[in-house]
Amino acid sequence: MIQKYYEGTSKIINLSIEVGKLIGIVDATYLRKPPTNLRRENRIKTIQSSLMIEGNTLSLDQVTAIFENKRIIGPAKDIKEVQNAIVVYSKLRDFDPCSEESYLLAHKILMSGLVDNAGKYRAKGVGVFKGERIAHMAPPAWRV
């Protein structure tokens, strides 16, 4: 019995490498998507931690419940903040990061039901209070 061996020419080797690259692209693009629950969990954690920085008191479990359209017990303002953030995050692809109009629309959604002039630049001075004392005073509205 005669066995034939083929020599690997540079053309065969380059084509093999190209086929391997294309298989990797197809595999990464179509076959191995991260589990949906991982993306969902990351979105919930992002919303909860972002709002916590702003003083929201809701726990990760409470934010998860709101994300699942369940009712929770908590400050109405904090619940509204989470609901608004969920809407904004779901529309992120619709916003143009270079558009003032998109910026104000995102602000309107995010602050809806929380401030009077949602989606508009402020016209008054604002500050951050710690108890009775002012911890930070923002620049005057005309400078913003």
Side-chain angles (χ1 to χ4, degrees):
M1 184 165 156
I2 300 175
Q3 289 183 331
K4 288 190 174 184
Y5 292 94
Y6 297 95
E7 279 186 36
T9 66
S10 61
K11 184 175 181 178
I12 291 172
I13 292 170
N14 288 335
L15 287 172
S16 296
I17 291 170
E18 189 64 29
V19 167
K21 283 182 188 175
L22 293 173
I23 288 172
I25 290 169
V26 168
D27 187 38
T29 305
Y30 299 106
L31 304 178
R32 294 192 188 179
K33 295 230 179 218
T36 308
N37 64 334
L38 181 60
R39 283 183 267 152
R40 179 182 165 277
E41 288 173 17
N42 284 338
R43 177 163 291 177
I44 292 168
K45 286 179 183 177
T46 300
I47 289 171
Q48 191 268 337
S49 59
S50 294
L51 293 176
M52 185 175 65
I53 291 168
E54 298 296 325
N56 191 297
T57 60
L58 299 182
S59 70
L60 189 58
D61 289 337
Q62 289 172 307
V63 172
T64 302
I66 294 170
F67 199 84
E68 295 169 349
N69 292 317
K70 296 179 181 174
R71 298 187 85 156
I72 65 156
I73 296 174
K77 175 186 148 300
D78 290 0
I79 294 168
K80 186 66 175 163
E81 284 178 349
V82 172
Q83 291 168 334
N84 291 352
I86 291 169
V87 173
V88 168
Y89 272 78
S90 72
K91 295 178 181 264
L92 278 180
R93 292 177 191 252
D94 299 337
F95 298 121
D96 176 0
C98 299
S99 164
E100 183 178 20
E101 185 178 321
S102 276
Y103 171 78
L104 292 174
L105 177 59
H107 182 267
K108 182 177 186 174
I109 296 168
L110 198 57
M111 301 307 290
S112 175
L114 298 170
V115 297
D116 292 334
N117 293 322
K120 297 180 181 156
Y121 289 108
R122 66 182 170 86
K124 302 184 223 174
V126 293
V128 176
F129 290 85
K130 284 193 178 180
E132 295 292 321
R133 132 184 126 74
I134 297 175
H136 172 74
M137 194 67 176
W142 60 269
R143 286 187 47 205
V144 176

